[in-house]
């Protein structure tokens, strides 16, 4: 199913663009929004055609199911501009597919691929001037879907709204990243919704993360919910550990989100001749590797920061500090992935998609 875009996506343009009020050299992350948004409603068992309208507030009944039962899923992706002002997406189909995987788990309707992809491309071309050109800046894209039908009855909604909103964002400065290995709380559980990008997964993370922050850490390393012996994710990022010259990451499961950055890193690293193991990593192994010096690096991987190097981790009441290496896999892999994203290098995997 494919839309004839020009005929089917209606566009209502804004009468007063906000673009002149934006300082593109000082962009915070995710706090400035472009002039337009895509909106698409699901009603009477089917999706209506997407519309592009000026960025605006939503009107929802207080009984809307999103507020009570949390049916809400989202995606996070970016659009990049190269030196010729051409616009690129990075593996966008993966986001489209994953949103439907998330939606299905929350008993929400799947959105047709063409509504997502053609809707997104039309929106990006309309708001093209909002995609920053300052180095390592990008347009952060937030597709999301939520239950907009009414009623206090605890059942799936009969109406849903899909929106794509965009936010020009500057380069990501991570700062120090010390993480605490979580031994009590869980982000997700077997049979649960951890593999879905569901809003509620984040709600459940905030409190344990705040406790870690109070202890002087910035993030939590989530461990498996049954034994808390194996590390799974770093906050809302997938986790990589370098032991000697081998990169190790946990296998995806019910509990671990199948990150696009994660799988791209695995492919790029292997292509570079770096050995990558996809297997469980126990906290004991991590502590031993830190003590015997074989633990070289740890980093988180996700769209927003791409790669966030971890400076050290806390376990129980002990802290383990990672060495400061001259050359890291984190720096090397981040450069390679962003070179593909910004059209600065060959794209042998076919991940980059020109928006036209
Ligand atoms: C979004 C997310 C990631 C990273 O996924 P990407 O596709 O690489 O952005 C990892 N873990 C969790 C829990 C997430 O929500």
């Amino acid at each position: 199913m494919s839309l004839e875009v020009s005929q089917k996506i209606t566009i209502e343009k804004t009468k007063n663009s906000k673009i002149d009020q934006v300082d593109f050299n000082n962009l915070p992350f995710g706090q400035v929004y472009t002039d337009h948004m895509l909106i698409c409603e699901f009603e009477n068992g089917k999706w209506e055609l997407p519309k592009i309208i000026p960025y605006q507030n939503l009107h929802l009944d207080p009984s809307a199911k999103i507020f009570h039962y949390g049916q809400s899923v989202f995606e996070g992706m970016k659009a990049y501009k190269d030196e010729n002002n051409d616009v690129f997406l990075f593996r966008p189909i993966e986001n489209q597919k994953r949103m439907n995987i998330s939606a299905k788990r929350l008993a929400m309707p799947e959105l047709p691929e063409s509504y997502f992809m053609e809707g997104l491309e039309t929106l990006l071309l309309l708001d093209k001037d909002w995609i920053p050109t300052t180095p390592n800046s990008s347009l952060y894209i937030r597709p999301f879907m939520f239950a907009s039908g009414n009623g206090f009855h605890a059942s799936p909604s009969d109406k849903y709204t899909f929106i794509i909103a965009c936010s020009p964002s500057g380069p990501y400065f991570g700062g120090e990243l010390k993480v605490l290995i979580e031994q009590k709380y869980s982000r997700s559980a077997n049979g649960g919704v951890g593999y879905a990008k569901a809003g509620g997964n984040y709600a459940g993370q905030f409190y344990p993360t705040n406790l870690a922050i109070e202890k002087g850490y910035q993030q939590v390393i989530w461990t498996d919910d049954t034994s808390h012996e194996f590390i799974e994710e770093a906050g809302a990022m997938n986790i990589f550990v370098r032991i000697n010259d081998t990169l190790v990451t946990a296998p995806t499961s019910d509990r671990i989100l199948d990150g696009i950055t994660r799988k791209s890193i695995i492919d790029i690293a292997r292509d570079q001749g770096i050995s990558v193991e996809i297997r469980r990593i126990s906290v004991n192994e991590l502590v031993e590797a830190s003590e015997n010096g074989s633990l070289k690096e740890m980093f988180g991987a996700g769209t927003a920061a791409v790669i966030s190097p971890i400076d050290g981790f806390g376990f129980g009441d002990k802290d383990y500090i990672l060495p400061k290496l001259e050359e890291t896999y984190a720096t090397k892999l981040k450069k390679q992935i962003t070179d593909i994203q910004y059209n600065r290098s060959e794209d042998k995997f076919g991940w980059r998609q020109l928006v036209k």
Side-chain angles (χ1 to χ4, degrees), residues 33-48:
Y33 312 102
T34 65
D35 280 332
H36 300 94
M37 64 195 221
L38 182 101
I39 186 162
C40 188
E41 309 274 2
F42 180 92
E43 223 176 325
N44 301 319
K46 66 174 187 45
W47 286 102
E48 292 171 1

Side-chain angles (χ1 to χ4, degrees), residues 26-67:
N26 277 303
L27 289 167
F29 186 82
Q31 290 185 48
V32 173
Y33 312 102
T34 65
D35 280 332
H36 300 94
M37 64 195 221
L38 182 101
I39 186 162
C40 188
E41 309 274 2
F42 180 92
E43 223 176 325
N44 301 319
K46 66 174 187 45
W47 286 102
E48 292 171 1
L49 288 168
K51 291 183 285 199
I52 291 176
I53 58 174
Y55 189 91
Q56 59 192 261
N57 287 347
L58 303 171
H59 297 276
L60 291 170
D61 192 278
S63 76
K65 302 235 179 191
I66 170 63
F67 299 130

Side-chain angles (χ1 to χ4, degrees), residues 239-252 261-281 285 299 301 329 332-333 336 349:
I239 188 157
F240 284 84
V241 173
R242 173 179 168 190
I243 296 178
N244 290 320
D245 287 337
T246 300
L247 214 44
V248 191
T249 188
T252 55
T261 316
R262 172 186 174 278
K263 54 187 174 198
S264 305
I265 288 173
I266 294 170
D267 288 350
I268 293 177
R270 284 186 170 152
D271 183 61
Q272 296 292 306
I274 295 173
S275 112
V276 183
E277 290 176 8
I278 300 169
R279 61 166 174 84
R280 301 205 296 177
I281 310 153
E285 178 182 3
F299 54 84
Y329 284 180
K332 181 173 164 180
L333 293 165
Q336 282 166 336
F349 300 100

Side-chain angles (χ1 to χ4, degrees), residues 74-77 90 94-95 98 140 142 187 194-198 201-202 205 222 232-239 255-264 301-306:
F74 69 97
E75 275 302 322
M77 52 204 299
F90 182 73
E94 299 288 335
N95 295 95
R98 189 171 66 192
Y140 186 76
R142 173 52 60 85
R187 191 192 82 86
Y195 68 91
K197 235 174 154 65
N201 285 341
Y202 282 69
Q205 285 182 225
W222 300 106
E232 303 211 314
E233 295 210 59
M237 290 181 283
N238 293 113
I239 188 157
R255 304 182 305 270
I256 298 186
L257 193 114
D258 186 4
I260 298 160
T261 316
R262 172 186 174 278
K263 54 187 174 198
S264 305
T303 296
V306 190

Side-chain angles (χ1 to χ4, degrees), residues 4 68 133 140 176 185 196 249 260 272 290 313 315 325 355:
E4 286 297 325
H68 310 278
T133 48
Y140 186 76
E176 193 193 30
Y185 297 99
T249 188
I260 298 160
Q272 296 292 306
S290 174
F313 67 91
F315 177 58
L325 307 180
V355 180

